[in-house]
Amino acid sequence: MGSRRADDLVQSDVMFRILDRYVLRETLSPVLLSLLVFTFVLMIDPIMRYARELIEKGVDGWTIMELMLWLIPQGLGITIPVAVLVGLLMGLGRLSGDREIVVMQACGVSIYRLLRPVVALALVAAAATCYTLVVLMPDANQAFREIADRNVAAATENDVKARVFYQGLPGMVLYVDAVDLQGTGWSGVFLADTRDDAPRIYVADEGRIVLDLANRQVDIVLASGAAHDVDPADPATYNVNRFDEIVLGLDFDEVFPDGGLARGLNEMTVADLRARAAELEALGLSAHNPIMALHQKFSFPVACLVFAFIGLALGVTTRRDGKLASFAVGIGVIFAYYILFYGGQGLARSAIVPPHWGVWICNIVLGALGVALLAWRARYGEHRFLPALPRWRRRPPSPPSAGADASPSSADAAPGRGVSLGGGMGWGVGLLDRYVAKQYLKLVALSFVGLLGIFYIVTFLEIYDRLLRGDTTLDMVLEYFWYATPQWVYYVLPISALVATLVTVGLFTKTSELTVMKACGISLYRVSMPLFLFAMLWGGTLFGMSESFLADANRRAGELNRVIRGGSPEYVDILQRRWLMGEDGAIYNYAHFDPTAVTLDRVTAYRFVEDEWRLAERVFAGAALHEAEWQGRDVWAREFDDDRSPGPFETSAQLPLRLASPESFATERPDAERMNYRELDRYIAALSASGEDVVPLRVELQRKLSFPFVTLILTLIAVPFAVTMGRHGALSGVGIGLVLALSYWVVISIFAAIGSAGIVTPLLAAWAPNVLFGGSAAYLLLAART
């Protein structure tokens, strides 16, 4: 008897070990997929912002790749806990949907027994999160800052381009007539130093910028020129100082505001944070920031366990209709977690709670909720505490018309789907198109809503602390979301189409439906025809958005974003463009231009001696009105016989002026995202002769035509990939889709950067990604078994 009981215990232990491995296997894949999705979303912004900027500055590809890799630990510290919750909901929801949970409970496996594999997975995730935040992230963040700062600083010498106004130096406006082959030496230099109330103008034959990173110095060296000083209150007082060489020192921290290599809170280790907190307390200052940063390194790993309890409670159900509702509530849990997290930080900063409690409030509240939900689920497993999603009855297909061959056959329908392909081929193929389109559109909608929701959550979390502090209002945040949504849709729609295509064709392959379709004489090309048609529809939608409301929405979203983050409204219009090289060869500076009244406020014209780089005349007008010609008010003018002393001076209450045409002043500062194709084309034509670098704009102009084709190209390349990988399941299709989308975005950024740098033509820079991916898609599609 004892031997039999021992055998039963051994068999039971073996069964439970098999069950543990099975549950882990079913949940690990969606956890890893969720980790890939969320990390990919967080990496889009650095790729689009940092990578392109560094490529344009001439930083090599290996360095840029290294920088992107150093950014990953910071993202993983956030995405690992989130992936645990979402992955558990997906994996356990699949088990519930396939009634495997019912079988387990019938065999005596309680929900508490499932805690063992789930908690084991959460502990591994917690250990990985803790290692990432405590060990990897401080050194990774510091390495990123050091490499980025050194490369950006070194590349600053190459930023100045010929006949383009450069305003990257604080308080200065630089214009050079020519740049040497090394990119560091200038000839024909015009420099306006506006750091003082009375601006000083330098006109020099040669110049260069000198960087000393070791001593944190930035200098501009000018040779063989003159400095012009004038008192705005008494323009008759004018000085011209000739120099053979002059060195203008700049503030290193202003030139490189993020250039300090000292470690910030995110770059500090546990020991550094403790030392920093002790140092602040010794000085009698508040140490809540380093204390919260210290505890945050351990609160995020514990969140993995909190999400494990909640994921198990929401994901395990004996009802078939609970999977999607549990997933939706899970996303809400993530949202609630970060609201509590930032709310706790706000309470700590307000001294309402101790700083070490501020980052633990979210874990305490949601941890208690998770335990309560798990106990409730174990006791009342059949009761629903989540709202049921609406169901629509599937209408059976209409029978074929009289006289058609309606007899069943072995190839009548795709297994279990009710799709007839036999009999009248015209009716069958039409039904097939509707069937494929229905499956595809459901997946497009699911992917679209999910990815768009990630944008909403990530953006809200970035600005939530400002909302909590009262720096902005909820109405302004909602308005920003309203105007930012079109741009997010512009990014999300191609990825949604890609993922939906991969999953649709992959499921057809895995369930052998594609084999049945081929057996009925329908090729892969014909099956995919609805997908290609929808891809073209999405591409047309993208182009229609860019040519209609997208530019206006981006313009308004940019203004709101700047205000929400603590800045003043930044209107992208002619008010922001204060310097101009006119078609007459003169340099103009003005405070304001009104295109309606055609008036200029506080305009100065700098005219040069023909065939020489020195000032011939300087004219200032308090206001200028254009009717038949320019008429200036409160005018003074100074001529220069040479560059050693001022020449004749003239002043007048009103005087005709010789200025550039009003069209030259009416040209906006370019921003491709805030203009449609026609507007951008007109602005490029106007800017090309006014001292603006238009090569990057020509790249953006071509991209407005090339980018909408991304939906068709990614769909073309997704079909053969899905056929090949379809038997591995839908999750493999989603993973492949994200890799393809990330690859496409990387290639776009690389070619846009090298195109903006003038290495390749704008046409090639914009269309090369489509050519590369389109050619690969054509090869794979033609090579696939149809």
Side-chain angles (χ1 to χ4, degrees):
M1 187 69 178
S3 176
R4 180 178 299 178
R5 179 174 297 178
D7 292 340
D8 291 342
L9 291 175
V10 171
Q11 292 177 1
S12 177
D13 183 64
V14 171
M15 181 190 73
F16 280 121
R17 280 187 292 174
I18 294 175
L19 177 64
D20 291 341
R21 290 196 298 269
Y22 179 70
V23 173
L24 282 174
R25 186 173 66 249
E26 291 299 313
T27 54
L28 183 59
S29 294
V31 167
L32 295 177
L33 174 65
S34 301
L35 182 63
L36 177 63
V37 170
F38 287 108
T39 306
F40 167 73
V41 171
L42 290 180
M43 289 295 292
I44 287 179
D45 181 67
I47 290 174
M48 299 296 289
R49 182 157 46 98
Y50 291 117
R52 180 172 176 176
E53 177 183 351
L54 292 172
I55 292 174
E56 290 177 355
K57 291 180 177 294
V59 180
D60 62 276
W62 287 111
T63 301
I64 295 173
M65 185 178 299
E66 182 183 3
L67 287 172
M68 295 299 104
L69 291 176
W70 285 125
L71 282 176
I72 292 178
Q74 184 172 2
L76 290 178
I78 299 174
T79 57
I80 291 177
V82 174
V84 169
L85 175 60
V86 177
L88 284 175
L89 289 172
M90 293 173 63
L92 297 175
R94 205 281 301 167
L95 295 177
S96 298
D98 290 347
R99 315 301 286 170
E100 295 182 46
I101 293 296
V102 176
V103 176
M104 294 179 189
Q105 292 183 351
C107 295
V109 179
S110 69
I111 192 172
Y112 294 124
R113 181 57 186 78
L114 295 177
L115 269 175
R116 190 162 79 173
V118 170
V119 170
L121 177 63
L123 287 174
V124 173
T129 306
C130 187
Y131 180 77
T132 299
L133 294 177
V134 175
V135 179
L136 293 182
M137 193 180 77
D139 292 335
N141 285 0
Q142 184 67 11
F144 174 84
R145 291 181 59 186
E146 292 178 359
I147 296 174
D149 291 340
R150 289 194 180 101
N151 280 278
V152 171
T156 300
E157 300 178 354
N158 302 322
D159 279 352
V160 180
K161 299 179 180 179
R163 295 179 294 280
V164 174
F165 287 99
Y166 178 70
Q167 302 187 49
L169 303 174
M172 292 189 173
V173 178
L174 178 65
Y175 180 93
V176 300
D177 187 59
V179 180
D180 63 14
L181 295 177
Q182 289 74 29
T184 57
W186 315 322
S187 59
V189 181
F190 178 91
L191 177 66
D193 187 348
T194 61
R195 291 177 292 180
D196 298 329
D197 294 336
R200 169 174 285 192
I201 304 299
Y202 297 89
V203 180
D205 292 338
E206 298 177 353
R208 67 185 186 277
I209 188 170
V210 178
L211 297 174
D212 186 352
L213 296 178
N215 296 317
R216 299 174 59 82
Q217 292 182 351
V218 182
D219 297 322
I220 293 181
V221 180
L222 302 178
S224 184
H228 294 251
D229 295 286
V230 62
D231 185 356
D234 184 15
T237 304
Y238 199 104
N239 296 315
V240 178
N241 298 310
R242 173 73 187 180
F243 59 82
D244 293 326
E245 183 176 276
I246 189 172
V247 179
L248 306 177
L250 303 178
D251 190 328
F252 185 90
D253 293 326
E254 290 185 0
V255 177
F256 305 109
D258 298 326
L261 301 183
R263 289 179 179 261
L265 293 179
N266 288 332
E267 290 77 43
M268 289 185 179
T269 63
V270 172
D272 294 333
L273 290 171
R274 288 174 176 169
R276 180 59 177 165
E279 178 184 351
L280 292 175
E281 290 173 350
L283 296 174
L285 302 176
S286 174
H288 61 270
N289 283 333
I291 292 176
M292 286 191 294
L294 173 63
H295 283 267
Q296 180 179 324
K297 293 181 180 294
F298 302 99
S299 67
F300 277 2
V302 174
C304 295
L305 294 171
V306 173
F307 287 158
F309 279 90
I310 295 176
L312 184 60
L314 298 180
V316 172
T317 176
T318 57
R319 295 181 174 272
R320 299 177 68 92
D321 58 356
K323 181 171 61 173
L324 291 179
S326 297
F327 181 82
V329 173
I331 297 297
V333 168
I334 297 172
F335 196 69
Y337 179 88
Y338 282 102
I339 288 179
L340 290 172
F341 177 77
Y342 286 110
Q345 285 189 327
L347 294 176
R349 291 191 178 98
S350 302
I352 299 176
V353 298
H356 57 277
W357 282 104
V359 296
W360 287 98
I361 289 177
C362 49
N363 285 340
I364 295 173
V365 173
L366 292 183
L369 177 63
V371 172
L373 287 178
L374 189 64
W376 193 95
R377 175 67 81 187
R379 186 173 183 183
Y380 304 103
E382 288 295 330
H383 293 271
R384 177 189 293 121
F385 61 86
L386 297 173
L389 294 179
R391 287 178 172 269
W392 291 270
R393 294 184 61 187
R394 182 179 298 174
R395 297 180 60 184
S398 302
S401 59
D405 182 9
S407 61
S409 67
S410 60
D412 263 351
R417 302 294 182 127
V419 182
S420 175
L421 300 176
M425 185 58 68
W427 173 81
V429 173
L431 184 60
L432 173 66
D433 290 338
R434 292 194 296 273
Y435 173 66
V436 173
K438 181 178 179 180
Q439 304 301 319
Y440 171 79
L441 289 176
K442 286 196 302 185
L443 291 168
V444 166
L446 181 62
S447 303
F448 180 82
V449 173
L451 292 174
L452 195 61
I454 293 174
F455 273 97
Y456 282 122
I457 292 175
V458 171
T459 305
F460 184 81
L461 295 178
E462 289 179 352
I463 62 180
Y464 177 74
D465 57 336
R466 299 184 180 276
L467 182 64
L468 188 67
R469 294 198 304 265
D471 296 339
T472 185
T473 63
L474 181 61
D475 290 340
M476 183 173 293
V477 171
L478 294 177
E479 185 180 3
Y480 168 66
F481 278 2
W482 173 262
Y483 286 105
T485 296
Q487 185 63 55
W488 295 339
V489 170
Y490 197 77
Y491 290 145
V492 164
L493 187 56
I495 302 177
S496 301
L498 172 65
V499 172
T501 301
L502 285 164
V503 176
T504 300
V505 180
L507 288 177
F508 288 165
T509 303
K510 184 177 182 180
T511 59
S512 299
E513 293 178 79
L514 186 59
T515 303
V516 174
M517 297 173 190
K518 293 178 181 179
C520 294
I522 302 176
S523 69
L524 175 64
Y525 305 143
R526 183 60 185 84
V527 173
S528 305
M529 186 59 65
L531 310 182
F532 299 147
L533 293 177
F534 276 114
M536 289 188 287
L537 176 62
W538 306 144
T541 301
L542 295 179
F543 184 76
M545 290 174 58
S546 66
E547 290 303 297
S548 55
F549 58 85
L550 184 61
D552 293 333
N554 285 342
R555 191 176 296 117
R556 180 57 179 160
E559 298 168 6
L560 292 169
N561 185 43
R562 183 175 176 84
V563 174
I564 289 173
R565 297 181 185 277
S568 58
E570 182 183 14
Y571 299 98
V572 183
D573 58 12
I574 52 180
L575 305 181
Q576 298 295 319
R577 184 168 169 271
R578 306 282 181 88
W579 293 87
L580 167 72
M581 169 61 76
E583 65 272 13
D584 57 353
I587 292 178
Y588 296 94
N589 171 231
Y590 54 93
H592 173 76
F593 174 71
D594 186 347
T596 304
V598 197
T599 59
L600 285 165
D601 290 338
R602 298 189 299 281
V603 57
T604 303
Y606 301 91
R607 303 189 182 281
F608 295 85
V609 177
E610 187 175 359
D611 299 330
E612 290 187 52
W613 192 257
R614 64 180 180 86
L615 286 184
E617 183 184 39
R618 180 173 178 176
V619 180
F620 171 83
L625 171 65
H626 188 275
E627 293 177 344
E629 60 180 2
W630 286 105
Q631 294 290 330
R633 295 194 301 270
D634 299 327
V635 180
W636 62 261
R638 173 78 67 177
E639 295 182 358
F640 304 96
D641 297 329
D642 54 41
D643 58 358
R644 296 182 181 277
S645 60
F649 175 74
E650 179 183 0
T651 182
S652 175
Q654 186 168 347
L655 191 71
L657 298 178
R658 183 165 55 96
L659 302 179
S661 64
E663 290 77 12
S664 299
F665 296 99
T667 305
E668 291 188 5
R669 175 179 292 276
D671 191 335
E673 286 190 353
R674 303 179 185 184
M675 290 181 280
N676 59 35
Y677 182 88
R678 291 167 294 178
E679 292 173 340
L680 185 57
D681 189 32
R682 289 197 300 267
Y683 290 143
I684 289 175
L687 286 170
S688 57
S690 62
E692 296 282 355
D693 181 16
V694 297
V695 173
L697 293 179
R698 295 188 187 279
V699 175
E700 296 297 331
L701 181 69
Q702 293 297 327
R703 283 184 60 186
K704 288 184 178 295
L705 296 177
S706 65
F707 186 80
F709 285 90
V710 63
T711 55
L712 178 60
I713 290 174
L714 291 182
T715 299
L716 289 171
I717 203 171
V719 170
F721 263 105
V723 173
T724 304
M725 302 296 296
R727 298 196 178 277
H728 296 280
L731 294 181
S732 299
V734 176
I736 293 173
L738 293 175
V739 172
L740 290 175
L742 180 61
S743 302
Y744 186 83
W745 247 268
V746 170
V747 172
I748 283 179
S749 300
I750 291 175
F751 274 94
I754 62 178
S756 299
I759 300 175
V760 299
T761 64
L763 183 66
L764 179 60
W767 288 93
N770 287 353
V771 172
L772 292 175
F773 278 79
S776 301
Y779 172 78
L780 293 175
L781 194 60
L782 293 174
R785 297 183 62 181
T786 61

